[in-house]
Amino acid sequence: MATHPIPPFPPGFLWGVSTSAHQIEGAADEREPSVWDAFTAEPGRVKDGSTAAVACDHYHRYQEDVALLSDLGVDAYRFSVSWPRVDSPGGLDFYDRLVDELCAVGVRPVPTLFHWDLPLALQEAGGWLERDTAFRFAEYAARVAARLRDRVTQWITLNEPAEHTLLGHALGVHAPGRRLLFDALPVAHHQLLAHGLAVRALRAAGVTDIGIANSHGPTWPASRESADVAAADLYDLLLNRLFAEPLLLGEYPDGLGEFMPEDAGADLEVIAEPLDWYGINYYAPTRVGAPLGRDDAFAGVPIPAELPFSLREIEGRPVTDSGWPVVPEGLTDLLTAFRDRYGDRLPPVVITENGCSYEGVDDRERIAYLDAHIRALHRAIEAGVDVRGYFIWSLLDNFEWAEGFARRFGLVHVDFRTLRRTPKASYRWLREVLREQREGRQGAAGPETDSAG
Ligand code: GBH
């Protein structure tokens, strides 16, 4: 464990933790069904056969969870609003209560409007393969904003449209379980359009602080061979540039046009509606090589032979329980690369997720992971990248999608039998880090600071 204190972050830097509705709320029978309810009901979709019908039961225990946030000392809490719950009678009441509870303890609520739990009724009408879903999303965003805008200032439209396209629609390991490979690309476009339309709807409702949470990471070619380099470039295109460039530059990168809806270009003006900040979820770099010519699997994700790339192990690094390598400098490199690529077009950045899965409440590996990534983030700031916040995934152990409850990302342990919450060592460590950061800020701020000792 690092012995030096973490260097002070800039004044006003926002420290937070993240969750999402489907992964923690439970109370599935108190809302309309979502694609994830249908998906997890199919045998074989989730590793341990579990569903999120109860999950952390946060819907009924949110007061206890807000008390945990308050005691932790974070500035902000990123959660998601469940669209199928908002579509149910009285569904917005829950978020009203949650926001009140957060405001009462001085934790800033930062809602994400879509974190993968599409109402099942919309899926039955075609879901994200249908352009119309984008317009439905903007209407829903306006409804949520009308209810919460008096207390919620900072908003996030979508979580990781890249992963929702790839895992949910191209490879079929997440809901809605489609395996369309490149024919999934309209799903990317319709989510980006939904984002742009929602930004306009939120602004029309008077909201002035809007971002998105995109999944990004460096892609490393498996070797210097041209076939590996070309495969890594294509992966970079799919994970990073396909989602960053329409938002930041108002254009799609070359190379995927044939898979996109015909008139996609006409939507770019809406999609590029300027953002107040750009959210990045970072976990690890991806090492990419030329296709293997056979079906493969990597960290639990099937990579069919038809795809023009393969995923390779990053050697010589510790891995988390999810099998993902621990590469903190990947975060520094990602941020400086974004700054170099997009320059003035990149608004201030917020890390909207970063974290790891490990067993146990004496979670020294999580402390080491977070410590190293926070230092890597500080190095990016020193290198001149304008980063305004850092959110850890996650407050609680929760329903980790196709992995079920087998992967624990929480700062707080949840016993899924008794639903009892137990803060882990990492929770206490973070509380101390946040205390030091507050003291550092005061020290930097004031003439009242007693430096004479
Ligand atoms: C996020 O997705 C989600 O927003 C969140 O809901 C989820 O619980 C959390 O992360 C943890 O999974 O195999 O080394 O190449 C993260 C998407 C996709 C990021 C797979 C890491 C694999 C890295 N992840 N990726 S590697």
Side-chain angles (χ1 to χ4, degrees):
M1 215 142 305
T3 46
H4 300 290
I6 288 173
F9 277 66
F13 190 84
L14 204 63
W15 296 94
V17 291
S18 298
T19 63
S20 92
H22 189 78
Q23 295 177 271
I24 66 166
E25 281 183 6
D29 56 359
E30 296 178 55
R31 56 158 173 74
E32 294 294 311
S34 82
V35 288
W36 270 95
D37 300 319
F39 185 73
T40 53
E42 293 172 29
R45 293 299 205 173
V46 176
K47 248 178 221 165
D48 57 9
S50 57
T51 77
V54 176
C56 305
D57 197 32
H58 170 76
Y59 184 80
H60 298 114
R61 294 167 198 251
Y62 70 96
Q63 287 168 310
E64 185 182 350
D65 296 335
V66 172
L68 284 164
L69 288 165
S70 171
D71 184 44
L72 180 56
V74 284
D75 303 310
Y77 173 49
R78 175 181 174 232
F79 59 97
S80 83
V81 175
S82 158
W83 187 351
R85 196 175 298 286
V86 170
D87 279 355
S88 321
L92 265 168
D93 296 352
F94 170 67
Y95 300 103
D96 220 39
R97 293 195 294 274
L98 174 62
V99 163
D100 280 345
E101 195 78 13
L102 290 164
C103 292
V105 297
V107 173
R108 180 194 295 188
V110 184
T112 303
L113 287 163
F114 180 70
H115 199 125
W116 303 350
D117 48 353
L118 192 77
L120 188 58
L122 279 175
Q123 185 60 39
E124 282 160 359
W128 288 112
L129 284 164
E130 281 298 321
R131 181 180 169 80
D132 190 54
T133 300
F135 293 86
R136 300 285 81 82
F137 178 70
E139 288 168 9
Y140 148 75
R143 267 187 285 152
V144 180
R147 184 69 175 266
L148 303 180
R149 68 184 161 194
D150 58 335
R151 288 150 293 153
V152 175
T153 56
Q154 190 172 1
W155 295 73
I156 298 173
T157 55
L158 306 179
N159 181 69
E160 298 189 349
E163 304 295 343
H164 193 51
T165 305
L166 179 74
L167 301 174
H169 296 80
L171 301 177
V173 291
H174 280 188
R178 304 296 307 271
R179 198 177 168 285
L180 300 169
L181 304 181
F182 279 87
D183 292 328
L185 282 171
V187 168
H189 179 69
H190 294 146
Q191 286 180 92
L192 287 165
L193 175 61
H195 158 85
L197 293 168
V199 171
R200 288 187 173 177
L202 290 170
R203 294 240 163 90
V207 173
T208 56
D209 193 0
I210 309 172
I212 187 169
N214 262 342
S215 159
H216 290 301
T219 58
W220 293 352
S223 80
R224 290 188 195 168
E225 299 284 325
S226 63
D228 288 335
V229 172
D233 279 349
L234 178 69
Y235 195 87
D236 181 51
L237 182 72
L238 290 169
L239 175 68
N240 296 318
R241 298 177 54 209
L242 174 62
F243 295 89
E245 291 181 11
L247 295 166
L248 300 176
L249 308 180
E251 59 198 32
Y252 275 120
D254 290 336
L256 299 169
E258 61 176 301
F259 299 104
M260 288 302 222
E262 233 169 76
D263 43 9
D267 295 327
L268 283 165
E269 204 187 311
V270 180
I271 293 172
E273 197 60 51
L275 285 169
D276 300 294
W277 53 275
Y278 190 86
I280 294 180
N281 296 354
Y282 171 75
Y283 287 89
T286 315
R287 186 162 171 249
V288 185
L292 300 174
R294 56 171 164 82
D295 289 348
D296 189 31
F298 190 82
V301 176
I303 307 294
E306 300 97 295
L307 287 182
F309 57 80
S310 58
L311 300 187
R312 310 288 178 83
E313 198 178 322
I314 292 176
E315 282 147 25
R317 298 291 184 142
V319 293
T320 69
D321 283 358
S322 304
W324 308 344
V326 179
V327 187
E329 72 274 24
L331 179 56
T332 318
D333 296 348
L334 175 72
L335 289 168
T336 53
F338 256 70
R339 194 265 322 272
D340 295 346
R341 251 185 206 177
Y342 302 119
D344 292 348
R345 307 296 292 271
L346 180 67
V349 171
V350 174
I351 300 303
T352 34
E353 282 180 29
N354 176 237
C356 51
S357 66
Y358 289 109
E359 285 298 307
V361 293
D362 187 17
D363 54 342
R364 285 148 198 280
E365 303 100 323
R366 177 170 290 101
I367 295 173
Y369 180 101
L370 295 175
D371 181 279
H373 283 77
I374 291 170
R375 287 170 200 275
L377 183 60
H378 194 269
R379 277 192 284 279
I381 294 174
E382 280 178 329
V385 186
D386 185 2
V387 186
R388 304 284 178 92
Y390 175 76
F391 288 71
I392 292 169
W393 184 273
S394 179
L395 173 65
L396 303 171
D397 290 342
N398 60 48
F399 179 73
E400 176 58 11
W401 308 116
E403 303 288 325
F405 294 105
R407 300 278 175 257
R408 295 180 175 273
F409 279 85
L411 297 165
V412 174
H413 179 274
V414 177
D415 179 325
F416 291 105
R417 210 169 33 83
T418 63
L419 298 171
R420 198 182 139 173
R421 277 88 164 127
T422 308
K424 302 181 187 178
S426 58
Y427 175 100
R428 291 188 292 276
W429 170 84
L430 181 65
R431 185 166 55 191
E432 217 32 63
V433 170
L434 298 179
R435 196 195 316 274
E436 281 169 17
Q437 288 292 323
R438 271 193 301 275
E439 280 161 10
R441 280 183 212 172
Q442 277 161 15
E448 72 268 33
T449 315
D450 180 7
S451 54

